[in-house]
Amino acid sequence: NEVVDFRHEWRNPCIFFYRRSARDAGSADAAMSEALAKQSGRQPTDLEIFSSPSISTKPPSKSSFVRLKPENLPGKGDLVAIDCEMVALTTEESFINSNGRKVVTQPSQLSLARLSCTTEDETVFIDDYIVTPDPIVDYLTRFSGLVPGDLDPSTSAHHLVSLRTAYLKLKRLVDRGCVFVGHGLLMKDFPVINIFVPPEQVRDTVQLFHVRNNRFLSLSFLASYLLDVDIQGDTHDSIEDARIALRVYKEYRSFKEGGILERKLTEIYEEGRRRNFQ
């Protein structure tokens, strides 16, 4: 009975599946049911996953990504730069304690809203905006760059997909052995998406440029110091952030291969303190 109890607002049925309790095994209906059952268990191909159409009803604007053929998709050991933007489905609950500090009792529930991925040569091959069936209480525009209408199938001019489609793309890249490069993957992006990526397939620049017992460094500060590039002015853009994270990682790799990583980390933190990490 609990399975079909939808009295609570948060329990929204997505699929109803009916099965006839008794049927003639030799009937046409039985043959059709068995065929459908076999088809439903079939895994979608790379072509089906990565060429999925937009579910927006509005004519699309100029595409922000290139559709790669299955044979051209990144494979084992290939770098994939990734960045995600989120929206909030619930508001944060907090209070100010006697010391004047903010204490969060219930963090806001986040949902994946945009997923951008590039190849090692910075070709964008995924730039999906994700539809959520749940009400959005905050688009977090300052951080996500998203505004009302971006995720609405009736108004969005972006490439709009379901959360399942976006997840399948990521899962397929994980299974292919791609190495993901990004900023905040382990603490933010992957936990929100609820996907496990083996540690050997992750290059998180938050962790790589961190010195124990010191603060974590922002992508904008690393971009400014290492690349002399200013990013994230008014809002974040996931394509820009993915590309910058990839360039920052290549700087890290160069420092490590050259045997100067420890010295560079010391210099970065010294300059950060001088500039208040701005």
Side-chain angles (χ1 to χ4, degrees), residues 143-199:
F143 305 104
S144 69
L146 299 168
V147 296
D150 281 346
L151 309 180
D152 186 339
S154 64
T155 60
S156 179
H158 302 294
H159 188 262
L160 216 56
V161 302
S162 66
L163 180 59
R164 179 179 182 275
T165 296
Y167 182 90
L168 282 174
K169 290 181 182 181
L170 271 185
K171 183 66 169 62
R172 190 56 58 91
L173 292 174
V174 173
D175 293 342
R176 291 174 67 90
C178 298
V179 176
F180 294 89
V181 178
H183 195 79
L185 299 179
L186 297 174
M187 293 189 294
K188 185 194 71 170
D189 293 349
F190 289 157
V192 171
I193 299 171
N194 195 25
I195 189 171
F196 172 75
V197 181

Coordinates of all heavy atoms in Angstrom, one line a residue, residues 143-199:
F143 N 25.5 32.7 -8.7 CA 26.5 31.6 -8.8 C 26.3 30.7 -10.0 O 27.3 30.2 -10.6 CB 26.5 30.8 -7.5 CG 26.7 31.6 -6.3 CD1 25.6 31.8 -5.5 CD2 27.9 32.0 -5.9 CE1 25.7 32.5 -4.3 CE2 28.0 32.8 -4.7 CZ 26.9 33.0 -3.9
S144 N 25.1 30.6 -10.5 CA 24.8 29.7 -11.5 C 24.7 30.3 -12.9 O 24.8 29.7 -13.9 CB 23.5 28.9 -11.2 OG 22.4 29.8 -11.3
G145 N 24.3 31.6 -12.9 CA 24.0 32.3 -14.2 C 22.7 31.9 -14.8 O 22.3 32.4 -15.9
L146 N 21.9 31.1 -14.0 CA 20.6 30.7 -14.5 C 19.5 31.7 -14.0 O 19.6 32.2 -12.9 CB 20.3 29.3 -14.0 CG 21.2 28.2 -14.4 CD1 21.0 26.9 -13.6 CD2 21.1 27.9 -15.9
V147 N 18.5 31.8 -14.9 CA 17.3 32.7 -14.5 C 16.0 31.9 -14.8 O 16.0 30.9 -15.5 CB 17.4 34.0 -15.4 CG1 18.6 34.8 -15.0 CG2 17.3 33.7 -16.8
P148 N 14.9 32.4 -14.2 CA 13.6 31.7 -14.5 C 13.4 31.7 -16.0 O 13.6 32.6 -16.7 CB 12.6 32.6 -13.8 CG 13.4 33.2 -12.7 CD 14.8 33.5 -13.2
G149 N 12.9 30.5 -16.5 CA 12.7 30.3 -17.9 C 13.7 29.4 -18.5 O 13.5 28.8 -19.5
D150 N 15.0 29.4 -18.0 CA 16.0 28.6 -18.6 C 15.8 27.1 -18.5 O 16.2 26.4 -19.4 CB 17.4 28.9 -17.8 CG 18.0 30.2 -18.3 OD1 17.6 30.7 -19.3 OD2 18.9 30.7 -17.6
L151 N 15.0 26.7 -17.5 CA 14.7 25.3 -17.3 C 13.3 24.9 -17.6 O 12.8 23.8 -17.3 CB 15.1 24.8 -15.9 CG 16.5 25.3 -15.4 CD1 16.7 24.8 -14.0 CD2 17.6 24.7 -16.4
D152 N 12.6 25.8 -18.3 CA 11.1 25.6 -18.6 C 11.0 25.1 -20.0 O 11.4 25.9 -21.0 CB 10.4 26.9 -18.4 CG 8.9 26.7 -18.6 OD1 8.5 25.7 -19.2 OD2 8.1 27.6 -18.1
P153 N 10.5 23.9 -20.3 CA 10.4 23.4 -21.7 C 9.6 24.3 -22.6 O 9.8 24.3 -23.8 CB 9.7 22.1 -21.5 CG 10.0 21.6 -20.1 CD 10.1 22.9 -19.3
S154 N 8.7 25.1 -22.1 CA 7.9 26.0 -22.9 C 8.6 27.3 -23.3 O 8.1 28.0 -24.2 CB 6.6 26.2 -22.3 OG 6.7 27.0 -21.1
T155 N 9.6 27.7 -22.6 CA 10.3 29.0 -22.8 C 11.8 28.9 -23.1 O 12.3 29.9 -23.6 CB 10.0 29.9 -21.6 OG1 10.6 29.3 -20.4 CG2 8.5 30.1 -21.4
S156 N 12.4 27.8 -22.7 CA 13.9 27.8 -22.8 C 14.4 27.6 -24.2 O 13.8 26.7 -24.9 CB 14.4 26.6 -21.9 OG 15.8 26.6 -22.0
A157 N 15.4 28.4 -24.6 CA 16.0 28.2 -25.9 C 17.3 27.4 -25.8 O 18.0 27.2 -26.8 CB 16.3 29.6 -26.5
H158 N 17.5 26.8 -24.6 CA 18.7 26.0 -24.4 C 18.5 24.5 -24.7 O 17.3 24.1 -24.9 CB 19.2 26.1 -23.0 CG 19.5 27.5 -22.5 ND1 20.5 28.3 -23.1 CD2 18.9 28.4 -21.6 CE1 20.5 29.5 -22.5 NE2 19.5 29.6 -21.6
H159 N 19.5 23.8 -24.8 CA 19.4 22.3 -25.0 C 19.0 21.7 -23.6 O 19.7 21.6 -22.7 CB 20.7 21.7 -25.4 CG 20.6 20.3 -25.8 ND1 20.9 19.2 -25.0 CD2 20.1 19.7 -27.0 CE1 20.7 18.1 -25.6 NE2 20.2 18.3 -26.8
L160 N 17.7 21.3 -23.6 CA 17.0 20.9 -22.3 C 16.9 19.4 -22.3 O 16.4 18.8 -23.3 CB 15.7 21.6 -22.2 CG 15.1 22.0 -20.9 CD1 16.1 23.0 -20.2 CD2 13.8 22.7 -21.0
V161 N 17.3 18.8 -21.2 CA 17.2 17.3 -21.1 C 16.7 17.0 -19.7 O 16.7 17.8 -18.8 CB 18.6 16.6 -21.3 CG1 19.1 17.0 -22.7 CG2 19.6 17.0 -20.2
S162 N 16.4 15.7 -19.5 CA 16.0 15.2 -18.2 C 17.2 15.0 -17.3 O 18.3 14.8 -17.9 CB 15.1 14.0 -18.3 OG 15.9 12.9 -18.8
L163 N 17.0 14.9 -16.0 CA 18.1 14.5 -15.2 C 18.7 13.2 -15.5 O 19.9 12.9 -15.4 CB 17.6 14.6 -13.7 CG 18.7 14.3 -12.6 CD1 19.9 15.3 -12.7 CD2 18.1 14.3 -11.2
R164 N 17.8 12.2 -15.9 CA 18.2 10.9 -16.2 C 19.2 10.9 -17.4 O 20.2 10.2 -17.4 CB 17.0 10.0 -16.5 CG 17.4 8.6 -16.9 CD 16.2 7.7 -17.1 NE 16.6 6.3 -17.5 CZ 16.9 5.9 -18.7 NH1 16.9 6.8 -19.7 NH2 17.2 4.6 -18.9
T165 N 18.8 11.7 -18.4 CA 19.7 11.8 -19.6 C 21.1 12.3 -19.3 O 22.1 11.8 -19.7 CB 19.0 12.7 -20.7 OG1 17.8 12.0 -21.1 CG2 19.9 12.8 -21.9
A166 N 21.1 13.4 -18.5 CA 22.4 14.0 -18.1 C 23.2 13.0 -17.3 O 24.4 12.9 -17.4 CB 22.1 15.3 -17.3
Y167 N 22.5 12.3 -16.4 CA 23.2 11.3 -15.6 C 23.8 10.2 -16.4 O 24.9 9.7 -16.2 CB 22.2 10.7 -14.5 CG 22.9 9.7 -13.6 CD1 23.4 10.1 -12.4 CD2 22.9 8.3 -13.9 CE1 24.0 9.2 -11.5 CE2 23.5 7.4 -13.0 CZ 24.0 7.9 -11.8 OH 24.6 7.0 -11.0
L168 N 23.0 9.7 -17.4 CA 23.5 8.6 -18.3 C 24.7 9.0 -19.1 O 25.6 8.2 -19.3 CB 22.4 8.2 -19.3 CG 21.3 7.3 -18.7 CD1 20.2 7.1 -19.8 CD2 21.8 6.0 -18.3
K169 N 24.8 10.3 -19.5 CA 26.0 10.8 -20.2 C 27.2 10.7 -19.3 O 28.3 10.2 -19.7 CB 25.7 12.2 -20.7 CG 24.7 12.3 -21.8 CD 24.6 13.8 -22.3 CE 23.5 13.9 -23.4 NZ 23.4 15.3 -23.9
L170 N 27.0 11.2 -18.1 CA 28.2 11.2 -17.1 C 28.6 9.8 -16.8 O 29.8 9.4 -16.8 CB 27.8 11.9 -15.8 CG 28.1 13.4 -15.8 CD1 27.7 13.9 -14.4 CD2 29.5 13.7 -16.1
K171 N 27.6 8.9 -16.6 CA 27.8 7.5 -16.2 C 28.6 6.8 -17.4 O 29.5 6.0 -17.1 CB 26.5 6.8 -15.9 CG 26.7 5.3 -15.5 CD 27.4 5.3 -14.1 CE 27.4 3.9 -13.5 NZ 28.0 2.9 -14.4
R172 N 28.2 7.1 -18.6 CA 28.8 6.5 -19.7 C 30.3 6.9 -19.8 O 31.2 6.1 -20.1 CB 28.1 6.8 -21.0 CG 28.5 5.9 -22.2 CD 28.5 4.4 -22.0 NE 27.2 4.0 -21.6 CZ 26.2 3.5 -22.4 NH1 26.5 3.5 -23.7 NH2 25.1 3.1 -22.0
L173 N 30.6 8.2 -19.5 CA 31.9 8.7 -19.6 C 32.8 8.1 -18.5 O 34.0 7.8 -18.7 CB 31.9 10.2 -19.5 CG 31.4 11.0 -20.6 CD1 31.3 12.5 -20.3 CD2 32.2 10.8 -21.9
V174 N 32.2 7.9 -17.3 CA 32.9 7.2 -16.2 C 33.2 5.8 -16.6 O 34.4 5.3 -16.4 CB 32.0 7.2 -14.9 CG1 32.6 6.3 -13.8 CG2 31.7 8.6 -14.4
D175 N 32.3 5.1 -17.2 CA 32.5 3.7 -17.6 C 33.5 3.6 -18.7 O 34.2 2.6 -18.8 CB 31.2 3.1 -18.1 CG 30.2 2.9 -16.9 OD1 30.6 2.9 -15.8 OD2 29.0 2.7 -17.2
R176 N 33.7 4.6 -19.5 CA 34.7 4.6 -20.6 C 36.1 4.9 -20.0 O 37.0 4.8 -20.8 CB 34.3 5.7 -21.6 CG 33.1 5.4 -22.5 CD 32.7 6.5 -23.4 NE 33.7 6.8 -24.4 CZ 33.7 6.2 -25.6 NH1 32.7 5.4 -25.9 NH2 34.6 6.4 -26.5
G177 N 36.2 5.3 -18.8 CA 37.5 5.5 -18.2 C 38.0 6.9 -18.3 O 39.2 7.1 -18.1
C178 N 37.1 7.9 -18.6 CA 37.6 9.3 -18.7 C 38.1 9.8 -17.4 O 37.6 9.3 -16.3 CB 36.4 10.1 -19.2 SG 35.9 9.7 -20.9
V179 N 39.0 10.7 -17.4 CA 39.5 11.4 -16.2 C 38.9 12.8 -16.1 O 39.1 13.6 -17.0 CB 41.0 11.5 -16.2 CG1 41.5 12.2 -15.0 CG2 41.6 10.1 -16.3
F180 N 38.1 13.0 -15.1 CA 37.4 14.3 -15.0 C 38.2 15.4 -14.2 O 38.8 15.1 -13.2 CB 36.1 14.1 -14.2 CG 35.1 13.2 -14.9 CD1 35.1 11.8 -14.7 CD2 34.2 13.7 -15.8 CE1 34.2 11.0 -15.4 CE2 33.3 12.9 -16.5 CZ 33.3 11.5 -16.3
V181 N 38.2 16.5 -14.9 CA 39.0 17.7 -14.3 C 38.0 18.8 -14.0 O 37.2 19.2 -14.8 CB 40.0 18.2 -15.3 CG1 40.7 19.4 -14.7 CG2 41.0 17.1 -15.7
G182 N 38.0 19.3 -12.7 CA 37.1 20.3 -12.4 C 37.5 20.9 -11.0 O 38.4 20.5 -10.4
H183 N 36.7 21.9 -10.6 CA 37.0 22.6 -9.4 C 35.8 22.4 -8.4 O 34.7 22.9 -8.6 CB 37.1 24.1 -9.6 CG 37.8 24.9 -8.5 ND1 39.1 24.8 -8.3 CD2 37.2 25.6 -7.5 CE1 39.4 25.6 -7.2 NE2 38.3 26.1 -6.7
G184 N 36.0 21.6 -7.4 CA 35.0 21.3 -6.4 C 34.2 20.1 -6.7 O 33.0 19.9 -6.3
L185 N 34.7 19.2 -7.5 CA 34.0 17.9 -7.9 C 33.7 17.1 -6.7 O 32.6 16.5 -6.6 CB 34.8 17.2 -8.9 CG 35.2 17.9 -10.2 CD1 36.0 16.9 -11.1 CD2 33.9 18.2 -11.0
L186 N 34.6 16.9 -5.8 CA 34.5 15.9 -4.7 C 33.6 16.5 -3.6 O 32.8 15.7 -3.0 CB 35.8 15.6 -4.1 CG 36.8 14.8 -5.1 CD1 38.1 14.6 -4.5 CD2 36.2 13.5 -5.5
M187 N 33.6 17.8 -3.4 CA 32.9 18.4 -2.3 C 31.5 18.8 -2.7 O 30.6 18.9 -1.9 CB 33.6 19.6 -1.6 CG 34.9 19.1 -0.9 SD 35.7 20.5 0.0 CE 36.2 21.6 -1.3
K188 N 31.3 19.1 -4.0 CA 30.0 19.7 -4.4 C 29.4 18.9 -5.6 O 28.3 18.4 -5.4 CB 30.2 21.2 -4.8 CG 28.9 21.9 -5.2 CD 29.2 23.2 -5.9 CE 29.7 23.0 -7.3 NZ 29.8 24.2 -8.1
D189 N 30.0 18.9 -6.7 CA 29.3 18.5 -7.9 C 28.9 17.0 -7.9 O 27.7 16.7 -8.1 CB 30.2 18.7 -9.1 CG 30.4 20.2 -9.4 OD1 29.7 21.0 -8.8 OD2 31.3 20.6 -10.2
F190 N 29.8 16.1 -7.7 CA 29.5 14.7 -7.7 C 28.5 14.3 -6.6 O 27.6 13.5 -6.8 CB 30.8 13.8 -7.7 CG 31.6 13.9 -8.9 CD1 32.9 13.6 -8.9 CD2 31.0 14.3 -10.1 CE1 33.7 13.7 -10.1 CE2 31.7 14.4 -11.3 CZ 33.1 14.1 -11.3
P191 N 28.7 14.8 -5.4 CA 27.7 14.5 -4.3 C 26.3 14.9 -4.7 O 25.3 14.2 -4.4 CB 28.2 15.2 -3.1 CG 29.7 15.3 -3.3 CD 29.8 15.5 -4.8
V192 N 26.1 16.1 -5.3 CA 24.8 16.6 -5.6 C 24.2 15.7 -6.8 O 23.0 15.4 -6.7 CB 24.8 18.1 -6.1 CG1 23.5 18.5 -6.7 CG2 25.2 18.9 -4.9
I193 N 25.0 15.4 -7.8 CA 24.6 14.5 -8.9 C 24.3 13.1 -8.4 O 23.5 12.4 -9.0 CB 25.6 14.5 -10.0 CG1 25.8 15.9 -10.5 CG2 25.2 13.6 -11.1 CD1 27.0 16.0 -11.5
N194 N 24.9 12.8 -7.3 CA 24.8 11.4 -6.7 C 25.4 10.4 -7.6 O 24.7 9.4 -7.9 CB 23.3 11.1 -6.4 CG 23.1 9.9 -5.5 OD1 24.0 9.6 -4.7 ND2 22.0 9.2 -5.6
I195 N 26.6 10.6 -8.0 CA 27.3 9.7 -8.9 C 28.7 9.4 -8.3 O 29.3 10.3 -7.7 CB 27.5 10.2 -10.3 CG1 28.0 9.2 -11.3 CG2 28.4 11.5 -10.3 CD1 28.0 9.5 -12.7
F196 N 29.1 8.1 -8.3 CA 30.4 7.7 -7.8 C 31.4 7.7 -9.0 O 31.1 7.0 -10.0 CB 30.4 6.4 -7.1 CG 31.7 5.9 -6.8 CD1 32.4 6.4 -5.7 CD2 32.3 4.9 -7.5 CE1 33.7 5.9 -5.4 CE2 33.6 4.4 -7.2 CZ 34.3 4.9 -6.1
V197 N 32.5 8.4 -8.8 CA 33.6 8.4 -9.8 C 34.8 7.9 -9.1 O 35.2 8.4 -8.1 CB 33.8 9.8 -10.4 CG1 34.9 9.7 -11.4 CG2 32.5 10.3 -11.0
P198 N 35.4 6.8 -9.6 CA 36.6 6.3 -8.9 C 37.7 7.4 -8.7 O 37.9 8.2 -9.6 CB 37.1 5.2 -9.9 CG 35.9 4.8 -10.6 CD 35.1 6.0 -10.7
P199 N 38.3 7.4 -7.6 CA 39.3 8.5 -7.3 C 40.4 8.7 -8.3 O 40.8 9.8 -8.6 CB 39.9 8.1 -5.9 CG 38.9 7.2 -5.3 CD 38.2 6.5 -6.4

